[in-house]
């Protein structure tokens, strides 16, 4: 069930994301399809708005941060002064009470035990009563006095009996006061009183004799910081050494009460973070006096600090509105100026696309759009010229195609002659065979075969096997003609016969070997033909033991002069070798072709370098 719920939640989430992306894409599409002028207006408005908002926001937050920082520094300085004054006032009271006790008869009589005689107890009670009256009326700020003897008996006296200040002291923690060994403590009371409590000891024997508690008017303490609260619009709280707030009910605001009750003074919230109370942010400043006797906390509402920044907000909004209005007016003027040339260019393009007639645009300015209009003028003129040229070329092409058809027709007619010649040779072959002339018959058969292969092969690329078969037939005819004067050797790798090569690349080379190598040299001529592969290259080779080729002829064969400048007697065979070299380089690149190794009277070797291609048209 839980997995199904998770799946449904994930599905809804994905659907929600897709819908948001779709809506965003729709908004982007609408913006992209707006007119250029509208885009300029929106873009200028958004840029000005964002710029002003960013500057105003940064200024506002920087101002608030500076106010916070300065307030924190000022607040810390003020409460440090408050701490100094508090220490002085409370210490004066503590010393005055101690001196009063030391100089009174109570110093010697408070330690009289309860079991003493009546006269001694009378003296003790009288000394206590006189001490309390003298102490209470020694300062107007004292509202009550309580004395507790060593046996826990309490004696109290108040300036105004109706207030009953001492009723809050019924459960005094005597042991805690004794543990402080004469160090005074301050605790909060009800209404407008706070209490100073102090254990006292016999001056002569240093023996514990009792406790003196003085109720002090709270205004003596609150008067130190009342004016500071009004000045900083904050709330100052004084905590004693056990973190009790003096005058808690009367002088502590709700945020300060929340701060103290949750003991947030332990981790001291940072200035930038502050703490939250009822939806508002407050910052705090905390210091402690020496020996941790007092902790002074000031809590200030941030909205009180930033009350003066409302003026900044008003001016910010006013500035934004004025800036937007001015920006809109400027955007209208600028966009009209920019889009004016664009409209002219668009109108001219529309008109040109309909009938390819162009009227030159006169741009209103020399900005990028104006330059674009000028370029369009130039482009339109060139397009017009190009259209005229294409039309003219089309007419010439039609005429050329007509002439080509005529040539093809004549070429078709010319094919009749080779077929007729082939058929005639077949007839002669049959007749020679009937008459028993086998040699003539064989020559006519081979010649017919060569002629048939020449006619039947339409493409320029054939299998190596076909080229080898053709050259075998060609050399067989020559062996019949020359008899024992010529010897032919073959060393072909039968595994290479499926490679494809350009048509008729061996015949010109073999013809060159026979005509210029063997015929011009007495004795038996040897022609060797072979093929092999090495490092991804196919090599074909034709070699002879003829008269050889001189350096000048080799250069002419590989880097030929114009056809008309070749020597007349060997023009046919030279053109054949040159044609093979050029065809190979045109088909496969300059790294392929012929290489010639020859020495005079030692023979010639012509090597063909080809790429390995296993199927016709693919490598």
């Amino acid at each position: 069930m839980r997995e199904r719920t998770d799946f449904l939640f994930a599905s809804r989430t994905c659907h929600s994301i897709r819908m948001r992306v779709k809506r965003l894409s729709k908004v982007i599409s609408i913006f992209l399809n707006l007119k250029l002028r509208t885009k300029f207006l929106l873009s200028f408005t958004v840029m000005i708005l964002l710029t002003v908002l960013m500057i105003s926001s940064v200024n506002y937050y920087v101002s608030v941060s500076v106010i916070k920082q300065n307030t924190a520094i000022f607040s810390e300085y003020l409460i440090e002064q408050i701490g100094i004054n508090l220490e002085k006032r409370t210490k004066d009271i503590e010393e005055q009470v101690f001196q009063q006790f030391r100089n009174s008869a109570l110093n010697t009589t408070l330690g009289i035990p309860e079991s003493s005689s009546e006269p001694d107890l009378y003296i003790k009670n009288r000394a206590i009563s006189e001490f309390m009256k003298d102490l209470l009326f020694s300062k107007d700020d004292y509202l009550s006095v309580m004395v507790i003897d060593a046996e826990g008996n309490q004696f109290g006296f108040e300036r105004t009996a109706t207030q009953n200040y001492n009723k809050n002291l019924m459960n005094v923690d005597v042991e805690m006061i004794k543990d402080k060994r004469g160090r005074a403590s301050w605790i909060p009371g009800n209404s407008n009183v706070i209490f100073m409590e102090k254990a006292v000891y016999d001056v002569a024997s240093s023996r514990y004799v009792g406790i003196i508690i003085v109720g002090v008017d709270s205004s003596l303490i609150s008067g130190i910081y009342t004016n500071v609260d009004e000045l900083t619009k904050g709330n100052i709280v004084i905590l004693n050494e056990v973190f009790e707030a003096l005058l808690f009910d009367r002088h502590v605001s709700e945020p300060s009460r929340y701060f103290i009750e949750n003991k947030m003074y332990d981790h001291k919230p940072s200035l930038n973070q502050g703490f939250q109370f009822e939806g508002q942010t407050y910052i705090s400043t905390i210091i402690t006096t020496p020996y941790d006797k007092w902790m002074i906390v000031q809590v200030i509402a941030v909205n009180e600090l930033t009350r003066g920044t409302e003026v900044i907000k008003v001016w910010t909004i006013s500035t934004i509105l004025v800036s937007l209005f001015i920006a809109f007016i400027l955007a209208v003027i600028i966009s009209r100026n920019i889009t004016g040339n664009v409209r002219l260019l668009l109108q001219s393009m529309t008109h040109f696309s309909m009938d390819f007639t162009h009227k030159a645009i006169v741009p209103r300015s020399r900005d990028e759009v104006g330059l674009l209009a000028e370029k369009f003028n130039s482009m339109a003129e060139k397009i017009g010229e190009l259209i005229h040229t294409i039309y003219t070329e089309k007419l010439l092409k039609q005429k050329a195609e007509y002439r080509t058809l005529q040539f093809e027709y004549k070429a078709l007619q010319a094919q009749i002659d080779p077929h007729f010649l082939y058929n005639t040779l077949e007839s002669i072959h049959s007749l020679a065979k009937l008459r028993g002339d086998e040699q003539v018959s064989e020559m006519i058969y081979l010649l017919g075969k060569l002629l048939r292969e020449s006619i039947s092969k339409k493409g320029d690329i054939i299998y190596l096997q076909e080229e080898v078969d053709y050259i075998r037939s060609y050399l067989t005819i020559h062996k019949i003609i020359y008899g024992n004067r010529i010897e032919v050797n073959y060393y072909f790798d039968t595994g290479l016969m499926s490679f494809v090569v350009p048509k008729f690349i061996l015949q010109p080379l073999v013809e060159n070997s026979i005509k210029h190598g063997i015929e011009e040299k007495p004795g038996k001529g040897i022609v060797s033909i072979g093929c092999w592969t090495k490092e991804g290259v196919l090599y074909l080779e034709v070699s002879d033991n003829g008269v050889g080729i001189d350096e000048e002829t080799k250069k002419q064969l590989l880097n030929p002069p114009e056809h008309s400048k070749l020597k007349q007697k060997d023009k046919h065979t030279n053109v054949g070798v040159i044609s093979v070299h050029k065809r190979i380089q045109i088909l496969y690149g300059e790294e392929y072709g012929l290489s010639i190794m020859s020495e005079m009277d030692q023979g010639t070797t012509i090597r063909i370098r080809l790429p390995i291609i296993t199927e016709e048209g693919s490598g």
Side-chain angles (χ1 to χ4, degrees), residues 289-306:
T289 59
Y291 308 108
D292 297 328
K293 183 176 183 180
W294 303 105
M295 176 182 286
I296 303 173
V297 177
Q298 183 177 39
V299 175
I300 303 175
V302 173
N303 61 357
E304 290 291 337
L305 297 177
T306 59

Side-chain angles (χ1 to χ4, degrees), residues 228-403:
V228 175
D229 276 349
E230 295 176 356
L231 178 64
T232 60
K233 302 298 182 184
N235 184 234
I236 293 176
V237 182
I238 298 175
L239 306 179
N240 62 13
E241 56 193 344
V242 293
F243 303 110
E244 294 177 321
L246 303 182
L247 306 172
F248 198 85
D249 294 330
R250 195 172 191 184
H251 295 282
V252 179
S253 64
E254 288 299 320
S256 300
R257 189 185 303 276
Y258 170 81
F259 184 86
I260 294 168
E261 288 177 348
N262 288 276
K263 298 183 179 180
M264 299 179 73
Y265 46 75
D266 287 344
H267 58 272
K268 295 184 180 181
S270 65
L271 179 64
N272 293 328
Q273 214 170 20
F275 69 94
Q276 299 289 322
F277 179 75
E278 294 184 354
Q280 292 193 32
T281 303
Y282 295 83
I283 60 173
S284 60
T285 306
I286 304 170
I287 68 162
T288 55
T289 59
Y291 308 108
D292 297 328
K293 183 176 183 180
W294 303 105
M295 176 182 286
I296 303 173
V297 177
Q298 183 177 39
V299 175
I300 303 175
V302 173
N303 61 357
E304 290 291 337
L305 297 177
T306 59
R307 190 181 300 276
T309 60
E310 295 298 326
V311 178
I312 298 177
K313 290 184 180 179
V314 173
W315 277 103
T316 299
I317 295 172
S318 302
T319 303
I320 291 173
L321 294 176
V322 172
S323 299
L324 285 177
F325 177 75
I326 295 173
F328 186 80
I329 298 299
L330 289 175
V332 169
I333 296 171
I334 295 172
S335 63
R336 180 179 296 175
N337 179 267
I338 293 174
T339 57
N341 283 334
V342 175
R343 285 196 300 272
L344 287 175
L345 183 58
L346 183 61
Q347 292 171 1
S348 181
M349 285 182 172
T350 304
H351 185 69
F352 183 73
S353 64
M354 293 175 63
D355 55 8
F356 295 104
T357 58
H358 174 64
K359 183 179 180 181
I361 305 171
V362 181
R364 298 178 181 177
S365 61
R366 293 285 298 172
D367 56 9
E368 286 82 355
V369 181
L371 294 175
L372 183 62
E374 290 183 358
K375 294 296 181 182
F376 178 73
N377 288 336
S378 176
M379 182 189 70
E381 291 176 1
K382 290 181 179 179
I383 289 175
E385 294 174 358
L386 184 60
I387 290 172
H388 177 72
T389 303
I390 291 173
Y391 179 73
T392 304
E393 289 180 352
K394 185 177 181 182
L395 293 176
L396 294 174
K397 184 178 180 182
Q398 290 176 347
K399 293 180 180 179
E401 288 176 353
Y402 178 74
R403 286 196 297 270

Side-chain angles (χ1 to χ4, degrees), residues 453-505:
E453 289 181 0
S454 300
I455 295 172
S456 62
K457 298 299 180 181
K458 297 296 183 182
D460 291 330
I461 303 296
I462 61 174
Y463 289 104
L464 180 58
Q465 183 65 60
E466 295 177 289
E467 182 71 11
V468 170
D469 291 343
Y470 180 83
I471 207 65
R472 284 182 187 272
S473 299
Y474 178 79
L475 285 172
T476 301
I477 293 174
H478 279 283
K479 285 187 71 175
I480 294 172
I481 295 172
Y482 290 100
N484 293 329
R485 188 163 175 252
I486 186 170
E487 178 184 337
V488 180
N489 297 320
Y490 300 99
Y491 50 98
F492 291 113
D493 185 346
T494 57
L496 308 180
M497 294 297 106
S498 61
F499 294 169
V500 295
V501 296
K503 184 178 179 181
F504 296 149
I505 59 171

Side-chain angles (χ1 to χ4, degrees), residues 58-207:
V58 170
N59 286 339
Y60 177 76
Y61 285 110
V62 169
S63 300
V64 170
S65 178
V66 171
I67 291 172
K68 285 183 181 180
Q69 193 73 32
N70 292 339
T71 301
I73 295 172
F74 182 60
S75 174
E76 186 173 354
Y77 171 76
L78 287 178
I79 61 178
E80 281 179 357
Q81 296 302 314
I82 290 170
I84 294 171
N85 293 335
L86 179 63
E87 281 279 347
K88 185 177 185 305
R89 290 193 183 186
T90 54
K91 192 170 184 179
D92 287 346
I93 292 173
E94 293 167 7
E95 289 181 355
Q96 194 264 337
V97 170
F98 178 73
Q99 291 298 329
Q100 190 86 8
F101 167 75
R102 184 176 183 179
N103 296 332
S104 68
L106 189 63
N107 179 29
T108 55
T109 58
L110 185 59
I112 297 173
E114 193 69 24
S115 58
S116 301
S117 62
E118 286 290 333
D120 290 339
L121 292 176
Y122 174 77
I123 293 171
K124 172 184 175 181
N125 291 335
R126 183 174 179 178
I128 291 174
S129 177
E130 289 178 353
F131 171 79
M132 290 190 297
K133 287 181 182 179
D134 292 342
L135 181 60
L136 183 64
F137 292 105
S138 64
K139 279 193 174 185
D140 294 337
D141 298 314
Y142 295 162
L143 301 180
S144 69
V145 177
M146 174 176 283
V147 176
I148 303 174
D149 63 13
E151 295 178 357
N153 298 312
Q154 296 182 355
F155 305 89
F157 188 75
E158 297 182 358
R159 186 181 290 271
T160 305
T162 57
Q163 294 293 333
N164 196 15
Y165 296 114
N166 290 334
K167 69 179 181 178
N168 291 330
L169 302 175
M170 300 302 295
N171 298 315
V172 176
D173 191 346
V174 175
E175 293 302 320
M176 184 191 72
I177 299 173
K178 288 171 61 178
D179 289 342
K180 293 184 179 180
R181 305 297 299 171
R183 189 161 60 89
S185 298
W186 292 79
I187 60 173
N190 63 351
S191 187
N192 60 338
V193 65
I194 57 177
F195 297 98
M196 187 278 295
E197 50 190 20
K198 179 180 177 68
V200 290
Y201 298 84
D202 187 340
V203 176
S205 63
S206 297
R207 179 174 56 87

